[in-house]
C-alpha cells in the first residue's frame, strides 16, 4: 500500500525558514518524479515544485523561486521542501505527491502538513 | 485567477448526471492532457481522471472525462451524496514545467 506522510509544518514568523519532509513507502521512490502542491486556507490547489528521479531537474512556481528548494534522498525514500524568507501568502497545507510523466499526473498524495506564517 | 477556468459551483440531485467544465487555451488544454482531482471535505486530493479520459484503478465508472479543443469536461452519472466535494481540473504548462490547476468547482448534492 502506498503511503506519503508529510511532516515539518508549523507556525513560523514572516522571514523565517521551515523544512518540510515527506516519507514515502509502497512504491519505488527512486524511480518516481515527485512534487509539492499547496492549498491556502479556503483556496484552491497550487503547484509549488517538481523534482526528477535523481534530483538533477527541478522546477518551481514563480512565486517561490529563490526562496524554496526541493530535494530528495533516495536512500531514505524521502522528499523535502526547504522554505526560506517565508511570507504570509505561503500559509497553506503543503501536500507531497508522486508525479507520473507521459502522460503526466499526480497519482498518490499525502495528507498534507500545515504551514502558518504569522507574527 | 487561473489560466484554466472552472465554474465555482455545480449541483445536482441524487441519481442525476452532472457535468463540470474546464476551459483553457490553445497553449494549455489545446496541446496537453487534462487530469481531474476530487477533494472531499477535509481530505487530500485524489486522482479521478488522467490523460483526459482514463480512470485509475478503483475509480467508479460513474466518473468520466472528455476533452475537445481547448476545453475539458468531467461527467458524474448516478450522483451520490458522497460525491459532494471540490473538483479540480489540471493541465501541464510547458513554460512552467509544472501543472496549472483550475480554481475548483464545489459540487453540491441536493
Amino acid at each position: 500500500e502506498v503511503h506519503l506522510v508529510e511532516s515539518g509544518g508549523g507556525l513560523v514568523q514572516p522571514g523565517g525558514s521551515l523544512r518540510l519532509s515527506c516519507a514515502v513507502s509502497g512504491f519505488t521512490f527512486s524511480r518516481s518524479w515527485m512534487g509539492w502542491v499547496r492549498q491556502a486556507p479556503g483556496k484552491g490547489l497550487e503547484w509549488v515544485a517538481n523534482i526528477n528521479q535523481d534530483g538533477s531537474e527541478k522546477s518551481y512556481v514563480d512565486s517561490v523561486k529563490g526562496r524554496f528548494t526541493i530535494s530528495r534522498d533516495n536512500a531514505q525514500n524521502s522528499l523535502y521542501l526547504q522554505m526560506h524568507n517565508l511570507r504570509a501568502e505561503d500559509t497553506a497545507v503543503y501536500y507531497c505527491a508522486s508525479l507520473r510523466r507521459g502522460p503526466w499526473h499526480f497519482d498518490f498524495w499525502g495528507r498534507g502538513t500545515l504551514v502558518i506564517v504569522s507574527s | 485567477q487561473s489560466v484554466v477556468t472552472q465554474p465555482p459551483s455545480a449541483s445536482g440531485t441524487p441519481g442525476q448526471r452532472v457535468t463540470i467544465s474546464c476551459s483553457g487555451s490553445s497553449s494549455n488544454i489545446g496541446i496537453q492532457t487534462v487530469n481531474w482531482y476530487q477533494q472531499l471535505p477535509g481530505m487530500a486530493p485524489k486522482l479521478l481522471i488522467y490523460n483526459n479520459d482514463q480512470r485509475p484503478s478503483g475509480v467508479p465508472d460513474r466518473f468520466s472525462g472528455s476533452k475537445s479543443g481547448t476545453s475539458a469536461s468531467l461527467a458524474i452519472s448516478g450522483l451520490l451524496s458522497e460525491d459532494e466535494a471540490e473538483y479540480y481540473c489540471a493541465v501541464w504548462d510547458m513554460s512552467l514545467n509544472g501543472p496549472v490547476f483550475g480554481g475548483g468547482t464545489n459540487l453540491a448534492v441536493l
Side-chain angles (χ1 to χ4, degrees):
Chain A
E1 189 177 357
V2 173
H3 288 286
L4 296 88
V5 181
E6 303 91 337
S7 60
L11 174 64
V12 60
Q13 291 190 339
S17 299
L18 214 53
R19 188 196 197 206
L20 306 183
S21 300
C22 175
V24 172
S25 62
F27 64 90
T28 308
F29 178 75
S30 61
R31 293 182 184 175
S32 296
W33 282 72
M34 297 293 297
W36 289 96
V37 176
R38 68 184 178 182
Q39 185 170 36
K43 302 297 183 181
L45 301 173
E46 179 185 37
W47 166 73
V48 175
N50 291 336
I51 187 169
N52 71 340
Q53 293 93 332
D54 65 4
S56 62
E57 186 176 341
K58 305 174 185 181
S59 300
Y60 302 91
V61 68
D62 285 349
S63 59
V64 308
K65 281 180 182 176
R67 301 188 299 122
F68 290 12
T69 301
I70 188 171
S71 63
R72 64 192 296 158
D73 184 338
N74 287 342
Q76 298 293 322
N77 284 355
S78 293
L79 177 72
Y80 306 102
L81 187 68
Q82 179 69 54
M83 305 183 294
H84 293 297
N85 192 20
L86 282 159
R87 306 166 180 168
E89 54 265 35
D90 296 318
T91 294
V93 174
Y94 285 73
Y95 298 101
C96 73
S98 54
L99 173 59
R100 303 300 173 192
R101 304 293 296 264
W104 84 274
H105 55 281
F106 285 117
D107 52 357
F108 297 111
W109 298 64
R111 292 188 173 187
T113 186
L114 176 61
V115 173
I116 300 173
V117 184
S118 175
S119 54
Chain B
Q1 53 279 20
S2 175
V3 296
V4 177
T5 304
Q6 299 179 235
S9 64
S11 64
T13 56
Q16 258 192 335
R17 181 179 188 272
V18 297
T19 302
I20 297 172
S21 63
C22 177
S23 178
S25 69
S26 57
S27 63
N28 45 58
I29 293 180
I31 56 173
Q32 297 287 341
T33 60
V34 176
N35 303 327
W36 290 90
Y37 299 89
Q38 177 194 58
Q39 187 175 32
L40 297 170
M43 303 290 286
K46 169 192 167 184
L47 179 65
L48 208 58
I49 298 287
Y50 69 98
N51 195 23
N52 304 324
D53 57 10
Q54 302 298 301
R55 279 187 308 276
S57 173
V59 173
D61 59 7
R62 301 187 297 107
F63 295 91
S64 62
S66 63
K67 189 186 99 166
S68 178
T70 60
S71 294
S73 293
L74 172 70
I76 310 172
S77 60
L79 203 59
L80 301 174
S81 58
E82 65 202 50
D83 297 331
E84 273 206 344
E86 195 81 15
Y87 292 86
Y88 295 91
C89 63
V91 62
W92 195 262
D93 186 312
M94 293 180 67
S95 63
L96 292 176
N97 198 25
V100 173
F101 290 90
T105 298
N106 184 267
L107 175 64
V109 181
L110 306 173

